C-alpha cells in the first residue's frame, strides 16, 4: 500500500506515533519516514539526541520521545517533508501542528488556510499561528487544529490572493 500510494497505513503510523502518555505531556516529534533510502540529515539535526544516531545511512529514524522537546528544528532538515511536531496540550479544544511547507504563496500569521490530509485531501479550515521562514531551507508553519484532526492534518493549501477575481 505505502509503496504504491505513498500514503502510510494505520499499521505504519502506529510504529511512529508516540504513546498517549507522551502525547499528553506536550509537544513531540512524529517522523513519518517509512522507506529505507540513503538519507540522514534528521539524525544530525537534533542536538538533543532525540533522533538516535544512524548505524547505516539507509536506516529509518528512531526517536527517543523522552528526549524530544518538540522544538521543531529537525522539521526543516528533512528533504522528504516527513517530520511534524504535535502539541496535544495546546488548548482545551485545539492541538498545534508544526509542519514543513515549501510551496508558495506562504500564508500569513492569523490566516485561515485549508488543512490537508496525507493524500492532499481537504479536511477543513485551520488557523496559522506562526510562520517560520528559514533561508535556503524548508519553512515551518504552526497550525491550530481541532484535537480530532491532529493525527490527520499533514499539509496546508493557501489561497493565492493574486488569482482571486
Ligand atoms: S523536535 Fe527538536 S528535540 Fe525533537 S527530535 Fe526534532 S530537533 Fe530533536
Ligand atoms: S531526513 Fe527525512 S527523509 Fe531523510 S531519513 Fe530523516 S526523516 Fe527520512
Amino acid at each position: 500500500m505505502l509503496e504504491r500510494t505513498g500514503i502510510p497505513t494505520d499499521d505504519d503510523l502506529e510504529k511512529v506515533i508516540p504513546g498517549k502518555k507522551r502525547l499528553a505531556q506536550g509537544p513531540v516529534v512524529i517522523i513519518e519516514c517509512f522507506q529505507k533510502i540513503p538519507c540522514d540529515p534528521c539524525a544530525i539535526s537534533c542536538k538533543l539526541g532525540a533522533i538516535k544516531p544512524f548505524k547505516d545511512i539507509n536506516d529509518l529514524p528512531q526517536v527517543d520521545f523522552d528526549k524530544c522537546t518538540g522544538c521543531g528544528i529537525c522539521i526543516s532538515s528533512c528533504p522528504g517533508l516527513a517530520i511534524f511536531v504535535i502539541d496535544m496540550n495546546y488548548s482545551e479544544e485545539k492541538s498545534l501542528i508544526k509542519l514543513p511547507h515549501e510551496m508558495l504563496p506562504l500564508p500569513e500569521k492569523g490566516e485561515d488556510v485549508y488543512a490537508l490530509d496525507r493524500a492532499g485531501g481537504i479536511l477543513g479550515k485551520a488557523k496559522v499561528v506562526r510562520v517560520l521562514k528559514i533561508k535556503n531551507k524548508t519553512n515551518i508553519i504552526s497550525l491550530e487544529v481541532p484535537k480530532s484532526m491532529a493525527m490527520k492534518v499533514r499539509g496546508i493549501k493557501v489561497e493565492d490572493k493574486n488569482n482571486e477575481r
Side-chain angles (χ1 to χ4, degrees), residues 2-40:
L2 176 70
E3 288 74 14
R4 266 194 298 120
T5 63
I7 300 167
T9 63
D10 289 347
D11 285 346
D12 295 322
L13 292 171
E14 205 173 300
K15 293 176 195 152
V16 299
I17 292 179
K20 279 188 182 156
K21 193 174 159 200
R22 177 61 190 86
L23 284 171
Q25 287 169 349
V28 66
V29 76
I30 296 180
I31 304 186
E32 300 189 2
C33 176
F34 303 101
Q35 289 180 306
K36 295 190 172 193
I37 51 170
C39 179
D40 67 355

PDB file of all heavy atoms in Angstrom, residues 2-40:
ATOM      1  N   LEU A   2       1.767   1.356   0.987  1.00  0.00           N
ATOM      2  CA  LEU A   2       2.650   2.515   1.081  1.00  0.00           C
ATOM      3  C   LEU A   2       3.490   2.652  -0.188  1.00  0.00           C
ATOM      4  O   LEU A   2       3.661   3.745  -0.717  1.00  0.00           O
ATOM      5  CB  LEU A   2       3.554   2.372   2.305  1.00  0.00           C
ATOM      6  CG  LEU A   2       4.604   3.458   2.502  1.00  0.00           C
ATOM      7  CD1 LEU A   2       3.949   4.761   2.890  1.00  0.00           C
ATOM      8  CD2 LEU A   2       5.595   3.040   3.558  1.00  0.00           C
ATOM      9  N   GLU A   3       3.991   1.503  -0.687  1.00  0.00           N
ATOM     10  CA  GLU A   3       4.849   1.533  -1.869  1.00  0.00           C
ATOM     11  C   GLU A   3       4.070   2.058  -3.080  1.00  0.00           C
ATOM     12  O   GLU A   3       4.603   2.783  -3.911  1.00  0.00           O
ATOM     13  CB  GLU A   3       5.393   0.131  -2.194  1.00  0.00           C
ATOM     14  CG  GLU A   3       6.445  -0.392  -1.233  1.00  0.00           C
ATOM     15  CD  GLU A   3       5.860  -0.816   0.104  1.00  0.00           C
ATOM     16  OE1 GLU A   3       4.621  -0.959   0.193  1.00  0.00           O
ATOM     17  OE2 GLU A   3       6.638  -0.979   1.062  1.00  0.00           O
ATOM     18  N   ARG A   4       2.789   1.688  -3.177  1.00  0.00           N
ATOM     19  CA  ARG A   4       2.011   2.086  -4.354  1.00  0.00           C
ATOM     20  C   ARG A   4       1.492   3.519  -4.255  1.00  0.00           C
ATOM     21  O   ARG A   4       1.507   4.266  -5.211  1.00  0.00           O
ATOM     22  CB  ARG A   4       0.819   1.127  -4.537  1.00  0.00           C
ATOM     23  CG  ARG A   4       1.116  -0.022  -5.488  1.00  0.00           C
ATOM     24  CD  ARG A   4      -0.129  -0.754  -5.912  1.00  0.00           C
ATOM     25  NE  ARG A   4      -0.823  -1.378  -4.811  1.00  0.00           N
ATOM     26  CZ  ARG A   4      -2.065  -1.088  -4.465  1.00  0.00           C
ATOM     27  NH1 ARG A   4      -2.747  -0.185  -5.129  1.00  0.00           N
ATOM     28  NH2 ARG A   4      -2.626  -1.688  -3.451  1.00  0.00           N
ATOM     29  N   THR A   5       1.006   3.888  -3.057  1.00  0.00           N
ATOM     30  CA  THR A   5       0.320   5.178  -2.933  1.00  0.00           C
ATOM     31  C   THR A   5       1.166   6.260  -2.283  1.00  0.00           C
ATOM     32  O   THR A   5       0.859   7.436  -2.393  1.00  0.00           O
ATOM     33  CB  THR A   5      -0.938   5.012  -2.063  1.00  0.00           C
ATOM     34  OG1 THR A   5      -0.507   4.622  -0.746  1.00  0.00           O
ATOM     35  CG2 THR A   5      -1.871   3.957  -2.630  1.00  0.00           C
ATOM     36  N   GLY A   6       2.216   5.853  -1.550  1.00  0.00           N
ATOM     37  CA  GLY A   6       2.993   6.835  -0.790  1.00  0.00           C
ATOM     38  C   GLY A   6       2.293   7.248   0.498  1.00  0.00           C
ATOM     39  O   GLY A   6       2.794   8.096   1.220  1.00  0.00           O
ATOM     40  N   ILE A   7       1.136   6.645   0.764  1.00  0.00           N
ATOM     41  CA  ILE A   7       0.374   7.023   1.962  1.00  0.00           C
ATOM     42  C   ILE A   7       0.499   5.901   2.999  1.00  0.00           C
ATOM     43  O   ILE A   7       0.187   4.743   2.703  1.00  0.00           O
ATOM     44  CB  ILE A   7      -1.116   7.244   1.613  1.00  0.00           C
ATOM     45  CG1 ILE A   7      -1.205   8.371   0.573  1.00  0.00           C
ATOM     46  CG2 ILE A   7      -1.928   7.596   2.863  1.00  0.00           C
ATOM     47  CD1 ILE A   7      -2.544   8.478  -0.087  1.00  0.00           C
ATOM     48  N   PRO A   8       0.959   6.219   4.211  1.00  0.00           N
ATOM     49  CA  PRO A   8       1.140   5.167   5.213  1.00  0.00           C
ATOM     50  C   PRO A   8      -0.191   4.582   5.690  1.00  0.00           C
ATOM     51  O   PRO A   8      -1.215   5.273   5.724  1.00  0.00           O
ATOM     52  CB  PRO A   8       1.855   5.892   6.358  1.00  0.00           C
ATOM     53  CG  PRO A   8       1.561   7.342   6.154  1.00  0.00           C
ATOM     54  CD  PRO A   8       1.358   7.546   4.687  1.00  0.00           C
ATOM     55  N   THR A   9      -0.142   3.307   6.050  1.00  0.00           N
ATOM     56  CA  THR A   9      -1.324   2.659   6.620  1.00  0.00           C
ATOM     57  C   THR A   9      -1.366   2.922   8.135  1.00  0.00           C
ATOM     58  O   THR A   9      -0.400   3.419   8.715  1.00  0.00           O
ATOM     59  CB  THR A   9      -1.239   1.139   6.406  1.00  0.00           C
ATOM     60  OG1 THR A   9      -0.082   0.668   7.123  1.00  0.00           O
ATOM     61  CG2 THR A   9      -1.102   0.776   4.939  1.00  0.00           C
ATOM     62  N   ASP A  10      -2.476   2.531   8.766  1.00  0.00           N
ATOM     63  CA  ASP A  10      -2.578   2.688  10.222  1.00  0.00           C
ATOM     64  C   ASP A  10      -1.464   1.898  10.913  1.00  0.00           C
ATOM     65  O   ASP A  10      -0.920   2.340  11.924  1.00  0.00           O
ATOM     66  CB  ASP A  10      -3.951   2.199  10.712  1.00  0.00           C
ATOM     67  CG  ASP A  10      -5.058   3.161  10.291  1.00  0.00           C
ATOM     68  OD1 ASP A  10      -4.733   4.286   9.855  1.00  0.00           O
ATOM     69  OD2 ASP A  10      -6.239   2.783  10.401  1.00  0.00           O
ATOM     70  N   ASP A  11      -1.120   0.736  10.357  1.00  0.00           N
ATOM     71  CA  ASP A  11      -0.040  -0.076  10.950  1.00  0.00           C
ATOM     72  C   ASP A  11       1.302   0.659  10.866  1.00  0.00           C
ATOM     73  O   ASP A  11       2.090   0.628  11.803  1.00  0.00           O
ATOM     74  CB  ASP A  11       0.075  -1.438  10.239  1.00  0.00           C
ATOM     75  CG  ASP A  11      -1.059  -2.364  10.643  1.00  0.00           C
ATOM     76  OD1 ASP A  11      -1.741  -2.050  11.638  1.00  0.00           O
ATOM     77  OD2 ASP A  11      -1.256  -3.382   9.964  1.00  0.00           O
ATOM     78  N   ASP A  12       1.543   1.287   9.724  1.00  0.00           N
ATOM     79  CA  ASP A  12       2.783   2.067   9.576  1.00  0.00           C
ATOM     80  C   ASP A  12       2.822   3.176  10.629  1.00  0.00           C
ATOM     81  O   ASP A  12       3.838   3.382  11.296  1.00  0.00           O
ATOM     82  CB  ASP A  12       2.854   2.735   8.188  1.00  0.00           C
ATOM     83  CG  ASP A  12       2.955   1.747   7.047  1.00  0.00           C
ATOM     84  OD1 ASP A  12       3.648   0.728   7.201  1.00  0.00           O
ATOM     85  OD2 ASP A  12       2.350   2.011   5.990  1.00  0.00           O
ATOM     86  N   LEU A  13       1.713   3.883  10.765  1.00  0.00           N
ATOM     87  CA  LEU A  13       1.673   5.045  11.665  1.00  0.00           C
ATOM     88  C   LEU A  13       1.820   4.637  13.127  1.00  0.00           C
ATOM     89  O   LEU A  13       2.435   5.348  13.916  1.00  0.00           O
ATOM     90  CB  LEU A  13       0.369   5.829  11.449  1.00  0.00           C
ATOM     91  CG  LEU A  13       0.274   6.522  10.080  1.00  0.00           C
ATOM     92  CD1 LEU A  13      -1.122   7.076   9.845  1.00  0.00           C
ATOM     93  CD2 LEU A  13       1.308   7.642   9.973  1.00  0.00           C
ATOM     94  N   GLU A  14       1.256   3.490  13.449  1.00  0.00           N
ATOM     95  CA  GLU A  14       1.345   3.009  14.839  1.00  0.00           C
ATOM     96  C   GLU A  14       2.804   2.889  15.290  1.00  0.00           C
ATOM     97  O   GLU A  14       3.124   3.087  16.453  1.00  0.00           O
ATOM     98  CB  GLU A  14       0.655   1.648  14.928  1.00  0.00           C
ATOM     99  CG  GLU A  14       0.161   1.328  16.323  1.00  0.00           C
ATOM    100  CD  GLU A  14      -0.659   0.073  16.304  1.00  0.00           C
ATOM    101  OE1 GLU A  14      -1.685   0.048  15.590  1.00  0.00           O
ATOM    102  OE2 GLU A  14      -0.255  -0.887  16.966  1.00  0.00           O
ATOM    103  N   LYS A  15       3.679   2.603  14.330  1.00  0.00           N
ATOM    104  CA  LYS A  15       5.099   2.417  14.676  1.00  0.00           C
ATOM    105  C   LYS A  15       5.815   3.737  14.972  1.00  0.00           C
ATOM    106  O   LYS A  15       6.886   3.741  15.570  1.00  0.00           O
ATOM    107  CB  LYS A  15       5.827   1.720  13.506  1.00  0.00           C
ATOM    108  CG  LYS A  15       5.372   0.295  13.296  1.00  0.00           C
ATOM    109  CD  LYS A  15       6.054  -0.287  12.068  1.00  0.00           C
ATOM    110  CE  LYS A  15       5.346  -1.557  11.622  1.00  0.00           C
ATOM    111  NZ  LYS A  15       5.468  -1.808  10.190  1.00  0.00           N
ATOM    112  N   VAL A  16       5.251   4.866  14.534  1.00  0.00           N
ATOM    113  CA  VAL A  16       5.992   6.132  14.677  1.00  0.00           C
ATOM    114  C   VAL A  16       5.293   7.171  15.567  1.00  0.00           C
ATOM    115  O   VAL A  16       5.881   8.201  15.890  1.00  0.00           O
ATOM    116  CB  VAL A  16       6.270   6.770  13.284  1.00  0.00           C
ATOM    117  CG1 VAL A  16       7.123   5.843  12.438  1.00  0.00           C
ATOM    118  CG2 VAL A  16       4.990   7.149  12.566  1.00  0.00           C
ATOM    119  N   ILE A  17       4.053   6.889  15.946  1.00  0.00           N
ATOM    120  CA  ILE A  17       3.327   7.856  16.791  1.00  0.00           C
ATOM    121  C   ILE A  17       3.579   7.524  18.258  1.00  0.00           C
ATOM    122  O   ILE A  17       3.453   6.366  18.665  1.00  0.00           O
ATOM    123  CB  ILE A  17       1.815   7.840  16.441  1.00  0.00           C
ATOM    124  CG1 ILE A  17       1.627   8.412  15.035  1.00  0.00           C
ATOM    125  CG2 ILE A  17       1.019   8.652  17.462  1.00  0.00           C
ATOM    126  CD1 ILE A  17       0.207   8.434  14.535  1.00  0.00           C
ATOM    127  N   PRO A  18       3.953   8.528  19.060  1.00  0.00           N
ATOM    128  CA  PRO A  18       4.210   8.260  20.482  1.00  0.00           C
ATOM    129  C   PRO A  18       2.949   7.770  21.195  1.00  0.00           C
ATOM    130  O   PRO A  18       1.833   8.000  20.725  1.00  0.00           O
ATOM    131  CB  PRO A  18       4.626   9.632  21.033  1.00  0.00           C
ATOM    132  CG  PRO A  18       4.707  10.565  19.887  1.00  0.00           C
ATOM    133  CD  PRO A  18       4.115   9.931  18.689  1.00  0.00           C
ATOM    134  N   GLY A  19       3.156   7.141  22.350  1.00  0.00           N
ATOM    135  CA  GLY A  19       2.020   6.662  23.126  1.00  0.00           C
ATOM    136  C   GLY A  19       1.208   7.815  23.706  1.00  0.00           C
ATOM    137  O   GLY A  19       1.670   8.952  23.747  1.00  0.00           O
ATOM    138  N   LYS A  20      -0.008   7.482  24.172  1.00  0.00           N
ATOM    139  CA  LYS A  20      -0.919   8.520  24.688  1.00  0.00           C
ATOM    140  C   LYS A  20      -0.289   9.304  25.835  1.00  0.00           C
ATOM    141  O   LYS A  20      -0.478  10.510  25.957  1.00  0.00           O
ATOM    142  CB  LYS A  20      -2.220   7.862  25.184  1.00  0.00           C
ATOM    143  CG  LYS A  20      -3.182   7.553  24.064  1.00  0.00           C
ATOM    144  CD  LYS A  20      -4.514   7.093  24.621  1.00  0.00           C
ATOM    145  CE  LYS A  20      -5.430   6.747  23.455  1.00  0.00           C
ATOM    146  NZ  LYS A  20      -6.473   5.834  23.751  1.00  0.00           N
ATOM    147  N   LYS A  21       0.473   8.606  26.685  1.00  0.00           N
ATOM    148  CA  LYS A  21       1.068   9.263  27.852  1.00  0.00           C
ATOM    149  C   LYS A  21       2.048  10.357  27.408  1.00  0.00           C
ATOM    150  O   LYS A  21       2.008  11.476  27.910  1.00  0.00           O
ATOM    151  CB  LYS A  21       1.790   8.208  28.697  1.00  0.00           C
ATOM    152  CG  LYS A  21       2.166   8.675  30.061  1.00  0.00           C
ATOM    153  CD  LYS A  21       2.746   7.540  30.871  1.00  0.00           C
ATOM    154  CE  LYS A  21       3.575   8.100  32.012  1.00  0.00           C
ATOM    155  NZ  LYS A  21       4.518   7.156  32.544  1.00  0.00           N
ATOM    156  N   ARG A  22       2.895  10.036  26.428  1.00  0.00           N
ATOM    157  CA  ARG A  22       3.866  11.032  25.945  1.00  0.00           C
ATOM    158  C   ARG A  22       3.151  12.170  25.214  1.00  0.00           C
ATOM    159  O   ARG A  22       3.506  13.348  25.373  1.00  0.00           O
ATOM    160  CB  ARG A  22       4.905  10.374  25.017  1.00  0.00           C
ATOM    161  CG  ARG A  22       5.900  11.359  24.417  1.00  0.00           C
ATOM    162  CD  ARG A  22       6.730  12.067  25.478  1.00  0.00           C
ATOM    163  NE  ARG A  22       7.530  13.174  24.942  1.00  0.00           N
ATOM    164  CZ  ARG A  22       7.087  14.412  24.776  1.00  0.00           C
ATOM    165  NH1 ARG A  22       5.835  14.739  25.092  1.00  0.00           N
ATOM    166  NH2 ARG A  22       7.879  15.358  24.301  1.00  0.00           N
ATOM    167  N   LEU A  23       2.139  11.831  24.431  1.00  0.00           N
ATOM    168  CA  LEU A  23       1.397  12.879  23.717  1.00  0.00           C
ATOM    169  C   LEU A  23       0.757  13.857  24.704  1.00  0.00           C
ATOM    170  O   LEU A  23       0.711  15.065  24.470  1.00  0.00           O
ATOM    171  CB  LEU A  23       0.308  12.261  22.832  1.00  0.00           C
ATOM    172  CG  LEU A  23       0.792  11.602  21.534  1.00  0.00           C
ATOM    173  CD1 LEU A  23      -0.356  10.833  20.881  1.00  0.00           C
ATOM    174  CD2 LEU A  23       1.359  12.635  20.562  1.00  0.00           C
ATOM    175  N   ALA A  24       0.314  13.327  25.832  1.00  0.00           N
ATOM    176  CA  ALA A  24      -0.350  14.178  26.828  1.00  0.00           C
ATOM    177  C   ALA A  24       0.631  15.090  27.554  1.00  0.00           C
ATOM    178  O   ALA A  24       0.229  16.042  28.213  1.00  0.00           O
ATOM    179  CB  ALA A  24      -1.088  13.306  27.836  1.00  0.00           C
ATOM    180  N   GLN A  25       1.925  14.822  27.410  1.00  0.00           N
ATOM    181  CA  GLN A  25       2.934  15.626  28.132  1.00  0.00           C
ATOM    182  C   GLN A  25       3.348  16.886  27.375  1.00  0.00           C
ATOM    183  O   GLN A  25       4.110  17.683  27.898  1.00  0.00           O
ATOM    184  CB  GLN A  25       4.169  14.761  28.413  1.00  0.00           C
ATOM    185  CG  GLN A  25       3.902  13.733  29.508  1.00  0.00           C
ATOM    186  CD  GLN A  25       5.011  12.700  29.607  1.00  0.00           C
ATOM    187  OE1 GLN A  25       5.885  12.620  28.753  1.00  0.00           O
ATOM    188  NE2 GLN A  25       4.957  11.898  30.650  1.00  0.00           N
ATOM    189  N   GLY A  26       2.885  17.046  26.129  1.00  0.00           N
ATOM    190  CA  GLY A  26       3.250  18.263  25.397  1.00  0.00           C
ATOM    191  C   GLY A  26       3.894  17.957  24.066  1.00  0.00           C
ATOM    192  O   GLY A  26       3.881  16.825  23.600  1.00  0.00           O
ATOM    193  N   PRO A  27       4.459  19.015  23.416  1.00  0.00           N
ATOM    194  CA  PRO A  27       4.921  18.879  22.039  1.00  0.00           C
ATOM    195  C   PRO A  27       5.953  17.767  21.844  1.00  0.00           C
ATOM    196  O   PRO A  27       6.861  17.614  22.666  1.00  0.00           O
ATOM    197  CB  PRO A  27       5.543  20.249  21.731  1.00  0.00           C
ATOM    198  CG  PRO A  27       5.579  21.006  22.995  1.00  0.00           C
ATOM    199  CD  PRO A  27       4.674  20.346  23.979  1.00  0.00           C
ATOM    200  N   VAL A  28       5.794  17.054  20.741  1.00  0.00           N
ATOM    201  CA  VAL A  28       6.680  15.924  20.475  1.00  0.00           C
ATOM    202  C   VAL A  28       6.739  15.681  18.963  1.00  0.00           C
ATOM    203  O   VAL A  28       5.767  15.933  18.248  1.00  0.00           O
ATOM    204  CB  VAL A  28       6.197  14.663  21.240  1.00  0.00           C
ATOM    205  CG1 VAL A  28       4.856  14.156  20.728  1.00  0.00           C
ATOM    206  CG2 VAL A  28       7.238  13.557  21.204  1.00  0.00           C
ATOM    207  N   VAL A  29       7.869  15.189  18.529  1.00  0.00           N
ATOM    208  CA  VAL A  29       8.062  14.958  17.101  1.00  0.00           C
ATOM    209  C   VAL A  29       7.370  13.660  16.644  1.00  0.00           C
ATOM    210  O   VAL A  29       7.270  12.693  17.412  1.00  0.00           O
ATOM    211  CB  VAL A  29       9.582  14.883  16.780  1.00  0.00           C
ATOM    212  CG1 VAL A  29      10.195  13.559  17.210  1.00  0.00           C
ATOM    213  CG2 VAL A  29       9.859  15.129  15.318  1.00  0.00           C
ATOM    214  N   ILE A  30       6.888  13.690  15.403  1.00  0.00           N
ATOM    215  CA  ILE A  30       6.412  12.468  14.744  1.00  0.00           C
ATOM    216  C   ILE A  30       7.108  12.418  13.385  1.00  0.00           C
ATOM    217  O   ILE A  30       6.985  13.357  12.591  1.00  0.00           O
ATOM    218  CB  ILE A  30       4.880  12.471  14.568  1.00  0.00           C
ATOM    219  CG1 ILE A  30       4.204  12.469  15.938  1.00  0.00           C
ATOM    220  CG2 ILE A  30       4.425  11.270  13.733  1.00  0.00           C
ATOM    221  CD1 ILE A  30       2.690  12.467  15.891  1.00  0.00           C
ATOM    222  N   ILE A  31       7.852  11.357  13.135  1.00  0.00           N
ATOM    223  CA  ILE A  31       8.602  11.244  11.879  1.00  0.00           C
ATOM    224  C   ILE A  31       7.954  10.161  11.021  1.00  0.00           C
ATOM    225  O   ILE A  31       8.028   8.973  11.331  1.00  0.00           O
ATOM    226  CB  ILE A  31      10.085  10.928  12.134  1.00  0.00           C
ATOM    227  CG1 ILE A  31      10.693  11.990  13.062  1.00  0.00           C
ATOM    228  CG2 ILE A  31      10.841  10.867  10.817  1.00  0.00           C
ATOM    229  CD1 ILE A  31      12.193  11.878  13.270  1.00  0.00           C
ATOM    230  N   GLU A  32       7.313  10.584   9.948  1.00  0.00           N
ATOM    231  CA  GLU A  32       6.585   9.651   9.082  1.00  0.00           C
ATOM    232  C   GLU A  32       7.462   9.282   7.883  1.00  0.00           C
ATOM    233  O   GLU A  32       7.174   9.627   6.745  1.00  0.00           O
ATOM    234  CB  GLU A  32       5.246  10.267   8.678  1.00  0.00           C
ATOM    235  CG  GLU A  32       4.389  10.570   9.907  1.00  0.00           C
ATOM    236  CD  GLU A  32       2.970  10.989   9.601  1.00  0.00           C
ATOM    237  OE1 GLU A  32       2.578  11.021   8.418  1.00  0.00           O
ATOM    238  OE2 GLU A  32       2.244  11.295  10.569  1.00  0.00           O
ATOM    239  N   CYS A  33       8.543   8.609   8.183  1.00  0.00           N
ATOM    240  CA  CYS A  33       9.531   8.200   7.176  1.00  0.00           C
ATOM    241  C   CYS A  33       9.571   6.680   7.192  1.00  0.00           C
ATOM    242  O   CYS A  33       9.938   6.088   8.204  1.00  0.00           O
ATOM    243  CB  CYS A  33      10.883   8.794   7.543  1.00  0.00           C
ATOM    244  SG  CYS A  33      12.223   8.299   6.454  1.00  0.00           S
ATOM    245  N   PHE A  34       9.169   6.039   6.109  1.00  0.00           N
ATOM    246  CA  PHE A  34       8.949   4.598   6.136  1.00  0.00           C
ATOM    247  C   PHE A  34       9.771   3.816   5.122  1.00  0.00           C
ATOM    248  O   PHE A  34       9.720   2.597   5.106  1.00  0.00           O
ATOM    249  CB  PHE A  34       7.457   4.302   5.904  1.00  0.00           C
ATOM    250  CG  PHE A  34       6.560   4.968   6.904  1.00  0.00           C
ATOM    251  CD1 PHE A  34       5.873   6.129   6.594  1.00  0.00           C
ATOM    252  CD2 PHE A  34       6.410   4.433   8.173  1.00  0.00           C
ATOM    253  CE1 PHE A  34       5.046   6.742   7.527  1.00  0.00           C
ATOM    254  CE2 PHE A  34       5.579   5.036   9.118  1.00  0.00           C
ATOM    255  CZ  PHE A  34       4.908   6.191   8.786  1.00  0.00           C
ATOM    256  N   GLN A  35      10.452   4.530   4.233  1.00  0.00           N
ATOM    257  CA  GLN A  35      11.177   3.796   3.199  1.00  0.00           C
ATOM    258  C   GLN A  35      12.675   3.996   3.351  1.00  0.00           C
ATOM    259  O   GLN A  35      13.137   5.132   3.512  1.00  0.00           O
ATOM    260  CB  GLN A  35      10.694   4.252   1.817  1.00  0.00           C
ATOM    261  CG  GLN A  35       9.272   3.725   1.579  1.00  0.00           C
ATOM    262  CD  GLN A  35       8.705   4.121   0.232  1.00  0.00           C
ATOM    263  OE1 GLN A  35       8.683   5.305  -0.108  1.00  0.00           O
ATOM    264  NE2 GLN A  35       8.247   3.155  -0.523  1.00  0.00           N
ATOM    265  N   LYS A  36      13.388   2.896   3.328  1.00  0.00           N
ATOM    266  CA  LYS A  36      14.831   2.955   3.535  1.00  0.00           C
ATOM    267  C   LYS A  36      15.504   3.574   2.312  1.00  0.00           C
ATOM    268  O   LYS A  36      15.507   2.996   1.233  1.00  0.00           O
ATOM    269  CB  LYS A  36      15.378   1.546   3.792  1.00  0.00           C
ATOM    270  CG  LYS A  36      14.856   0.967   5.088  1.00  0.00           C
ATOM    271  CD  LYS A  36      15.574  -0.296   5.450  1.00  0.00           C
ATOM    272  CE  LYS A  36      15.157  -0.718   6.855  1.00  0.00           C
ATOM    273  NZ  LYS A  36      16.012  -1.745   7.398  1.00  0.00           N
ATOM    274  N   ILE A  37      16.025   4.766   2.530  1.00  0.00           N
ATOM    275  CA  ILE A  37      16.724   5.470   1.459  1.00  0.00           C
ATOM    276  C   ILE A  37      18.008   6.047   2.055  1.00  0.00           C
ATOM    277  O   ILE A  37      18.084   6.242   3.267  1.00  0.00           O
ATOM    278  CB  ILE A  37      15.858   6.615   0.859  1.00  0.00           C
ATOM    279  CG1 ILE A  37      15.321   7.508   1.989  1.00  0.00           C
ATOM    280  CG2 ILE A  37      14.737   6.066  -0.002  1.00  0.00           C
ATOM    281  CD1 ILE A  37      14.664   8.780   1.502  1.00  0.00           C
ATOM    282  N   PRO A  38      19.017   6.321   1.223  1.00  0.00           N
ATOM    283  CA  PRO A  38      20.262   6.879   1.771  1.00  0.00           C
ATOM    284  C   PRO A  38      20.088   8.352   2.150  1.00  0.00           C
ATOM    285  O   PRO A  38      20.278   9.239   1.329  1.00  0.00           O
ATOM    286  CB  PRO A  38      21.266   6.695   0.625  1.00  0.00           C
ATOM    287  CG  PRO A  38      20.447   6.595  -0.601  1.00  0.00           C
ATOM    288  CD  PRO A  38      19.109   6.045  -0.216  1.00  0.00           C
ATOM    289  N   CYS A  39      19.713   8.595   3.402  1.00  0.00           N
ATOM    290  CA  CYS A  39      19.352   9.946   3.844  1.00  0.00           C
ATOM    291  C   CYS A  39      19.431   9.988   5.369  1.00  0.00           C
ATOM    292  O   CYS A  39      18.896   9.100   6.035  1.00  0.00           O
ATOM    293  CB  CYS A  39      17.911  10.206   3.365  1.00  0.00           C
ATOM    294  SG  CYS A  39      17.264  11.820   3.827  1.00  0.00           S
ATOM    295  N   ASP A  40      20.117  11.003   5.906  1.00  0.00           N
ATOM    296  CA  ASP A  40      20.210  11.055   7.373  1.00  0.00           C
ATOM    297  C   ASP A  40      20.270  12.440   8.009  1.00  0.00           C
ATOM    298  O   ASP A  40      20.645  12.557   9.186  1.00  0.00           O
ATOM    299  CB  ASP A  40      21.424  10.229   7.848  1.00  0.00           C
ATOM    300  CG  ASP A  40      22.746  10.860   7.416  1.00  0.00           C
ATOM    301  OD1 ASP A  40      22.715  11.875   6.674  1.00  0.00           O
ATOM    302  OD2 ASP A  40      23.795  10.351   7.825  1.00  0.00           O
TER     303      ASP A  40
END
